[in-house]
Amino acid sequence: MSVKELGKVAVLMGGTSAEREISLLSGNAVLAALRRRGVDAHAFDPRDRSVCELKDGNFDRAFIALHGRGGEDGTIQGALETLGIAYTGSGVMASALAMDKWRTKMIWQAAGLPTPRCSVLTKDTDWDAVVRELGLPIFVKPVHEGSSVGATKVTEAAQLRPAWELAAHYDSLVLAEEFIAGAELTCGFIGEEALPLVRIAAPGGNYDYQNKYFSDETQYFCPSGLPAATEHLLQDVVMRSARLLGCRGWGRADLMLGAGDRPYLLEINTSPGMTGHSLVPMAARAAGIGFEDLVLRILALARLG
């Protein structure tokens, strides 16, 4: 698709979620790449402007670089559908499902896809029972947040309630998930093509918000170093998991490789980061796709419905 055919493009960034800071980094990187390629691209922050201005501004396409609620949960996708503006990434239903970690896991479990055991936490939870069921360590996380916002790795039973309180500050629905010992991996995809896996080695095995975006100590390996057969198996699991939710365009799934090379799906991101530390651009480079080409390919897949 030619630059002219892409038309006038709004790069949606910022927003009002807890991931606003990261969204601005992603959006500005995308905006700069599009402009370098001659695309008529403009920054658009839904926090400061009504989305109706997209229609008034005669935009043809929207590149969604919003992260978290309001941008990755089907909300902005529904608005763009109503306005008749083609957009990048998954549609309304898949975006909403993928943003809900608990319901995503239930769908995967129903289809027989591997994912760690979990339990929903409330103020009335029997904390000792959760520890008996899931063991230690346990990951506690808000169901509708990304980028590890509000997430805690619990290593002692006494930490479970404070971890729930932190997560509940961000979300009324909080999930406890069993810890899987093994390699931490992520797999991006563009259209129907899975990208090379990225293996992550974070300080202390804690891939939290700080280590994701601001630490130079976190190590990323791409190629992953896994046997080719194992990598292909994991890529297949990721693509099956994405199709099951109805994902399209592009995205990234996070997973663990446990004992006996058993994969465990953690979650799917339908609007992944595009910062200097982001994993989809890293995997794309390993596949011979530069950042500008990656952005153009994602934008060319923008659609309605």
Side-chain angles (χ1 to χ4, degrees), residues 96-140:
L97 280 174
M99 192 68 195
D100 189 315
K101 298 179 181 67
W102 180 45
R103 288 173 174 83
T104 289
K105 288 170 72 69
M106 288 195 293
I107 291 170
W108 285 341
Q109 287 171 345
L113 290 178
T115 185
R117 294 175 300 141
C118 68
S119 178
V120 173
L121 304 182
T122 71
K123 63 181 178 63
D124 299 318
T125 291
D126 182 335
W127 310 108
D128 291 332
V130 172
V131 172
R132 287 194 299 271
E133 178 187 356
L134 301 181
L136 288 170
I138 296 172
F139 280 102
V140 176

Side-chain angles (χ1 to χ4, degrees), residues 29-100:
V30 168
L31 180 66
L34 290 174
R35 286 178 171 173
R36 286 195 297 269
R37 287 300 186 91
V39 177
D40 183 17
H42 305 261
F44 193 99
D45 189 340
R47 187 195 70 172
D48 303 328
R49 302 170 67 183
S50 167
V51 292
C52 294
E53 292 183 38
L54 292 169
K55 190 70 172 179
D56 297 337
N58 295 315
F59 285 97
D60 300 292
R61 292 170 185 255
F63 192 113
I64 299 176
L66 295 164
H67 306 318
R69 283 188 263 194
E72 201 170 350
D73 60 359
T75 304
I76 196 70
Q77 289 80 5
L80 292 168
E81 291 278 354
T82 301
L83 295 172
I85 298 172
Y87 56 91
T88 57
S90 293
V92 175
M93 182 189 72
S95 298
L97 280 174
M99 192 68 195
D100 189 315

Side-chain angles (χ1 to χ4, degrees), residues 185 197-199 221-228 230-231 257:
L185 302 156
L197 291 173
V198 179
R199 181 165 55 88
F221 300 92
C222 190
S224 66
L226 296 175
T230 302
E231 175 134 352
L257 185 63

